[in-house]
Amino acid sequence: MAILFQIATKADIAGVLKLRLAVDADQARRFGVDRWSTTINEKSVARGLKSSHVLVARQHGRIVGALRMETRKPWAIDLRYFTPVQRAVYLHDVNVEPGRQRSGIGRKQIARATAVARAWPVDAIRVDAYDGPSGGGPFYKKCGFAEVGRTVYRGVPLVYCELVFPDKSLRVPCRKRPRVTSRKR
């Protein structure tokens, strides 16, 4: 059951869309409205492919996992929480087929994304995760990310995590970080 990791192409749009819709449906079934979901359609997947590196995990030729990496800061990231670095990459849309979650595919994806980021080169990987029962914060911590803060952004509770590469980072002058605060509901 070898897993093959590749950067997605236009030919992978349908497979990535199918995966993301399956994960979203599973999250809706398990968590109802206590989750954070974005618009998922062919257009949004194609747009992500143009603006990012989309890393897919294949098993027996089928896409069983995917994640998106881009250097442009997303709207929900408040840089004051993160370690200042020259260049960071941001993770989005980290998904593993529902029947294969908790089998190590997600961790292998993050390990491969880390290798891609080191070669890019960037100094850190950053992610914002929904801070609720369906959120990915605990998963990122298991993958070696450090929690750097919690906040509520536009009504959405978030946990910020990062993985800094100390051997490659060129630090920029430090900004004062906000205090980690408990979220308001």
Side-chain angles (χ1 to χ4, degrees):
M1 285 198 347
I3 298 172
L4 176 65
F5 294 93
Q6 299 172 315
I7 299 297
T9 66
K10 287 182 182 180
D12 295 316
I13 291 173
V16 172
L17 176 62
K18 181 178 177 182
L19 170 69
R20 290 191 56 205
L21 290 171
V23 169
D24 190 60
D26 181 63
Q27 293 271 309
R29 180 187 58 76
R30 292 191 300 145
F31 300 104
V33 297
D34 192 12
R35 63 197 185 92
W36 183 15
S37 183
T38 59
T39 302
I40 305 168
N41 55 38
E42 188 172 327
K43 188 176 179 180
S44 67
V45 172
R47 186 174 47 250
L49 202 64
K50 284 182 180 179
S51 67
S52 315
H53 286 339
V54 176
L55 183 67
V56 294
R58 294 182 199 280
Q59 202 166 38
H60 304 295
R62 199 169 93 239
I63 295 175
V64 296
L67 59 78
R68 196 164 59 84
M69 304 168 65
E70 73 177 324
T71 56
R72 189 175 68 135
K73 183 187 87 60
W75 57 269
I77 292 280
D78 183 343
L79 290 177
R80 296 177 297 163
Y81 287 87
F82 294 89
T83 302
V85 295
Q86 286 285 334
R87 190 166 184 194
V89 68
Y90 299 90
L91 289 185
H92 305 280
D93 308 327
V94 178
N95 292 282
V96 172
E97 191 175 83
R100 297 184 187 217
Q101 292 175 0
R102 292 180 173 71
S103 70
I105 293 172
R107 286 188 200 182
K108 288 177 184 174
Q109 277 187 147
I110 296 297
R112 183 54 57 101
T114 300
V116 169
R118 284 180 175 271
W120 203 314
V122 297
D123 307 314
I125 301 175
R126 296 173 173 162
V127 65
D128 61 318
Y130 178 68
D131 192 10
S134 66
F139 166 73
Y140 294 114
K141 289 178 193 172
K142 287 179 188 175
C143 292
F145 284 70
E147 180 180 321
V148 295
R150 292 173 187 260
T151 191
V152 175
Y153 189 83
R154 294 187 182 171
V156 178
L158 298 175
V159 57
Y160 293 142
C161 298
E162 70 180 0
L163 184 61
V164 178
F165 307 138
D167 58 321
K168 293 181 77 174
S169 64
L170 295 170
R171 305 280 191 225
V172 294
C174 191
R175 295 182 304 266
K176 184 175 180 181
R177 281 188 179 179
R179 211 168 35 96
V180 176
T181 59
S182 61
R183 65 178 188 263
K184 299 174 188 170
R185 289 219 180 207

